[in-house]
Amino acid sequence: MSAQKYSISGRPRPTGSRVDLYVWWAVRISSLALFVLALAHFSMTHFVFDPGIQSAEWVRQTRWNSITLRVLDWGMLMAVLVHGFLGMRTVMQDYVPSRIRQASLIGLYAIALLLFVLGTQVVVTLPMD
Amino acid sequence: MTQGSSPLASPQKLRNYPSYRGGEGMVAWAFHRISGIGVWAFIVLHVFDIWLIGANPALYDALGEFYSSAPGRVMETLLGAALFYHALNGMRIVVMDFWPALTIYHRGLWRAVWVTFFTFGLPGAYIILKPIWEMAA
Ligand code: HEM
């Protein structure tokens, strides 16, 4: 069993708390999606197309003139909200003093909610040709 | 809720890190944490700027000028390096977590992370940075 709980550089699989165990799984599952989506996204925006041409109008006419690409980008947003914010939860639990930890975590989740709203709004409402 | 995520739990104080554990595991973990926080911070900004495409396209385009300027490109190269390291090392963690038997190869996996990082990262950095001297010429 001890080999199961140990990895050379990752957080060991939590055994004390059910919530922490779910978080541990959610971070790992979402990381598989991000490996493909985030690296493909960075390659598209920096190697295939130069940042110099990607104006708001260009995004509207080319990149987001496709339902598929909009859905993929929205899916990437969902994956990063799960992964990045649960990852930051772990980081904050390590460093934020317990007195203000709960309030800080609520602030963290509020930012996640805000990004969910803003990201979803622009993906859904930006006009298509 | 349990606290603490360090590979070997106890030390929570930053000054303990240099003397605790040591070796590749600690370097991998520290880099992973720093790059994760860095990429997270960028993404908070980045969802806002994408939102501007609908809310304020002129402001988005002004920000785009910065992204394609020389300092912007240097920062994107660093962002790409952080993301790429985090992604590769993250896969190394997931592989060992899901198939613990592979943990005996952790040194080889660690080397593979860096070989992959430089093999794809150096040409990638060149592509991002190239317009800086092309514009100057
Ligand atoms: C591209 C593919 C990615 C992979 C394969 C990946 C993988 C991982 C893994 C496996 C962990 C858990 C480490 C542990 O429990 O010790 C983790 C943690 C984390 N990730 Fe990612 N990740 C990726 C992308 C991202 C992105 C885009 C962000 C930014 C929003 C991010 C932010 C974080 C943060 C903040 C942590 C917590 C770090 C810690 O606890 O030390 N990751 N990542």
Side-chain angles (χ1 to χ4, degrees):
Chain A
M1 246 348 252
S2 66
Q4 287 258 320
K5 289 176 198 154
Y6 180 75
S7 77
I8 294 291
S9 81
R11 183 188 185 202
R13 192 188 304 248
T15 50
S17 147
R18 188 174 285 264
V19 174
D20 284 351
L21 182 62
Y22 289 152
V23 167
W24 188 93
W25 276 106
V27 165
R28 277 152 185 74
I29 302 289
S30 55
S31 81
L32 300 179
L34 281 176
F35 189 82
V36 177
L37 290 172
L39 291 182
H41 175 74
F42 191 89
S43 304
M44 285 294 277
T45 51
H46 295 90
F47 306 144
V48 180
F49 299 104
D50 189 82
I53 65 158
Q54 299 173 44
S55 66
E57 189 54 22
W58 181 90
V59 173
R60 197 183 64 75
Q61 284 183 5
T62 55
R63 179 181 170 79
W64 275 4
N65 203 24
S66 145
I67 302 270
T68 311
L69 285 179
R70 285 193 194 215
V71 169
L72 279 175
D73 278 349
W74 189 79
M76 177 165 63
L77 175 65
M78 294 308 108
V80 90
L81 290 181
V82 170
H83 183 95
F85 283 81
L86 291 182
M88 282 305 288
R89 169 187 179 270
T90 302
V91 173
M92 289 171 66
Q93 284 181 336
D94 278 355
Y95 304 127
V96 175
S98 56
R99 200 163 35 83
I100 53 167
R101 187 176 298 136
Q102 197 62 23
S104 311
L105 286 175
I106 290 171
L108 181 73
Y109 303 143
I111 297 174
L113 183 66
L114 180 66
L115 296 190
F116 174 82
V117 171
L118 296 182
T120 305
Q121 191 212 330
V122 66
V123 162
V124 171
T125 62
L126 196 73
M128 270 211 243
D129 288 333
Chain B
M1 259 184 270
T2 59
Q3 308 299 329
S5 66
S6 322
L8 292 182
S10 62
Q12 295 294 320
K13 297 216 167 62
L14 281 172
R15 67 167 183 278
N16 288 335
Y17 284 148
S19 60
Y20 116 84
R21 197 145 194 284
E24 313 91 58
M26 188 187 89
V27 175
W29 175 81
F31 279 13
H32 196 81
R33 176 156 281 196
I34 292 164
S35 59
I37 296 169
V39 177
W40 173 82
F42 171 73
I43 283 171
V44 174
L45 166 77
H46 186 47
V47 177
F48 270 108
D49 72 55
I50 293 302
W51 177 72
L52 290 174
I53 293 176
N56 189 340
L59 187 55
Y60 177 83
D61 288 349
L63 204 64
E65 307 256 297
F66 173 72
Y67 279 143
S68 52
S69 71
R73 285 175 192 276
V74 171
M75 284 171 65
E76 279 149 45
T77 306
L78 294 174
L79 170 71
L83 176 69
F84 197 34
Y85 169 79
H86 188 96
L88 292 171
N89 187 60
M91 286 312 283
R92 187 183 72 93
I93 294 170
V94 171
V95 161
M96 294 193 298
D97 280 343
F98 289 180
W99 296 279
L102 293 177
T103 302
I104 51 167
Y105 299 116
H106 75 271
R107 210 152 262 157
L109 289 168
W110 175 238
R111 205 169 295 129
V113 164
W114 286 106
V115 171
T116 315
F117 180 83
F118 284 112
T119 308
F120 292 94
L122 288 178
Y126 177 76
I127 293 172
I128 296 175
L129 296 173
K130 187 170 56 163
I132 296 178
W133 52 87
E134 280 182 349
M135 281 183 308

